[in-house]
Amino acid sequence: MQFTTLTPVNVLTGFLGSGKTTLLNRWVRQASMRNTLVVINEFGDIGLDHLLITQSDEQTVVEMSSGCLCCTLRGDLSRTLQQAIDALLAEGKPAPSRVVIETTGLADPAPILHLLMTDHWLAHRFQLDSVVCCVDAVNGEATLQAHRESQRQVAVADRLLITKTDLADEERLSYLANQLASINPAAEQWQVQNGNLSPDLLVGAGLYRGASQEYQVEGWLKSASYQLHYAMGHQHATSQQSAITPTPVTPSRQPTLTRHGENISAFCFCIEELITPEALENWLDLLMSLMGEKMLRIKAVVHLTDREEPLALHGVQHIFHPPAPLPNHSVSDRISRFVFITQNVAPSTVAELYRFFTSSTSPAITPTNEAT
């Protein structure tokens, strides 16, 4: 089987009762979702209400009335997708043009992201397009306070969907929006009622867009979501972007951060001088070995001394995807930008470790929420 382009993967996550089932039922009915493979944990749990045939243990793939396909996640993701695609090809059907993976409500999505980065079969056929997280407008605040899994789901997301908004007043919505932004300031926020949301808002957050694989570096890195400070005293400040919602949420007061949430930091720093490959490798290796589990997600566009073109880096906890070379025209300057979302790791710690491997001035850092 030949893959001319990598198939986009969208991961749908969210805590128990956050509205994933309702959203997924609406999502798979959209015309744009035809020939999409939806991977779920158990049919009984997800409750998709329009399967054409009854699921059994022997069935690898079932077809839905919408034209989507659906399979159950058994064992590891790589084997499940291989079996599903083999079954489609055996029936003379095309390989899926998109894959949507729904996690359980208590799951940390990091293991799925790890597999997409490290599994040889997956990495050569699929690429992460977006992580979409549902958050209950009524119970989201309490869930974030009580459950670390919920915070990690929010922290690694590219899109945050605030569900059940018809049951919450504006003050509660505003408070929750602020709380989510304090954990993940770069993720777009959208309000959802009864699962109604344009599917276009759920996709397109990856480094590449569409079948043409066009680069969208800034849309992926989201560095404009942070106030950027540069090393060596040079500074270009940009105002932090506000959350984007179909019905805008106006913050009414600053949130009191949750017990676990106050330990999640989102920060960005920039390095103007070119970085030696040795310094970059040693720095990242030390970060991963000392605190890899606390590095929830890392994105970077890096300029090195030994190459003309920049590199895109993407890491989740202690796992990094192989560096992706970028064309020079995809970036506007030669400044390296790193975006970190961490848990129980202070931005100053990351900068101090960088200083071990470079003689330059440590980059200035603007945290959105300093770890304690």
Side-chain angles (χ1 to χ4, degrees):
M1 178 178 178
Q2 297 297 320
F3 288 79
T4 56
T5 59
L6 298 180
T7 303
V9 175
N10 302 94
V11 177
L12 177 62
T13 187
F15 204 72
L16 297 171
S18 62
K20 296 192 304 296
T21 300
T22 301
L23 176 72
L24 192 54
N25 270 307
R26 297 279 188 176
W27 193 1
V28 298
R29 288 191 175 102
Q30 303 298 316
S32 61
M33 289 288 283
R34 294 189 65 84
N35 199 35
T36 291
L37 178 63
V38 179
V39 181
I40 60 178
N41 294 289
E42 293 182 12
F43 286 112
D45 286 349
I46 194 64
L48 291 174
D49 57 13
H50 54 292
L51 296 175
L52 283 179
I53 57 180
T54 303
Q55 185 265 342
S56 71
D57 290 340
E58 289 73 31
Q59 291 166 340
T60 303
V61 181
V62 296
E63 185 173 359
M64 297 183 242
S65 57
S66 62
C68 287
L69 308 163
C70 195
C71 71
T72 303
L73 181 59
R74 297 185 178 92
D76 67 77
L77 178 64
S78 181
R79 184 169 67 251
T80 293
L81 286 177
Q82 289 186 57
Q83 291 174 347
I85 292 177
D86 287 346
L88 291 172
L89 296 178
E91 297 178 9
K93 297 179 179 179
S97 57
R98 179 178 299 277
V99 173
V100 174
I101 302 170
E102 181 270 342
T103 71
T104 63
L106 294 173
D108 182 345
I112 290 177
L113 305 186
H114 290 169
L115 276 172
L116 291 173
M117 294 177 178
T118 59
D119 183 273
H120 180 81
W121 190 87
L122 291 173
H124 286 78
R125 291 161 175 82
F126 303 92
Q127 63 186 13
L128 180 65
D129 179 56
S130 68
V131 179
V132 179
C133 178
C134 294
V135 181
D136 183 344
V138 177
N139 300 310
E141 179 185 344
T143 300
L144 287 169
Q145 184 173 3
H147 299 281
R148 180 170 297 182
E149 298 88 351
S150 174
Q151 295 169 29
R152 294 169 78 90
Q153 291 166 355
V154 169
V156 303
D158 300 295
R159 307 278 194 268
L160 294 172
L161 310 183
I162 304 177
T163 62
K164 308 178 185 179
T165 55
D166 54 321
L167 303 178
D169 58 31
E170 286 299 317
E171 184 177 14
R172 182 182 291 271
L173 288 173
S174 176
Y175 187 86
L176 179 60
N178 275 317
Q179 193 173 31
L180 296 174
S182 72
I183 297 173
N184 188 342
E188 297 178 4
Q189 295 185 26
W190 300 91
Q191 290 187 25
V192 184
Q193 291 187 19
N194 300 319
N196 291 315
L197 191 71
S198 169
D200 293 339
L201 303 181
L202 305 176
V203 301
L207 184 58
Y208 313 99
R209 182 186 294 275
S212 63
Q213 302 289 281
E214 296 177 356
Y215 294 92
Q216 51 166 13
V217 176
E218 179 51 39
W220 169 74
L221 190 62
K222 293 283 189 181
S223 61
S225 297
Y226 306 85
Q227 187 174 19
L228 303 180
H229 290 262
Y230 287 66
M232 310 299 288
H234 187 63
Q235 177 175 330
H236 298 290
T238 58
S239 59
Q240 184 169 327
Q241 296 173 336
S242 59
I244 303 174
T245 58
T247 304
V249 176
T250 303
S252 59
R253 56 192 172 110
Q254 291 298 314
T256 300
L257 298 176
T258 62
R259 177 170 56 89
H260 294 302
E262 64 184 1
N263 295 326
I264 293 182
S265 296
F267 54 93
C268 175
F269 67 86
C270 305
I271 302 173
E272 289 188 306
E273 65 270 21
L274 299 180
I275 306 172
T276 66
E278 295 78 13
L280 178 66
E281 181 177 0
N282 291 335
W283 176 48
L284 293 180
D285 282 349
L286 186 59
L287 283 175
M288 295 307 102
S289 62
L290 292 180
M291 54 196 73
E293 293 299 321
K294 301 175 182 179
M295 296 289 175
L296 302 186
R297 198 168 184 184
I298 303 170
K299 295 181 182 181
V301 173
V302 181
H303 297 272
L304 300 178
T305 55
D306 65 341
R307 59 189 306 133
E308 287 297 321
E309 71 273 17
L311 291 177
L313 304 180
H314 182 206
V316 178
Q317 294 181 326
H318 60 284
I319 301 295
F320 265 88
H321 194 281
L326 300 173
N328 286 319
H329 66 77
S330 66
V331 297
S332 59
D333 54 40
R334 297 277 285 172
I335 297 171
S336 296
R337 293 176 171 86
F338 295 82
V339 170
F340 288 88
I341 297 181
T342 68
Q343 189 162 33
N344 296 319
V345 177
S348 57
T349 300
V350 174
E352 287 292 334
L353 291 177
Y354 178 80
R355 279 204 293 266
F356 281 117
F357 302 107
T358 178
S359 59
S360 66
T361 303
S362 178
I365 294 177
T366 299
T368 57
N369 177 23
E370 177 80 23
T372 57

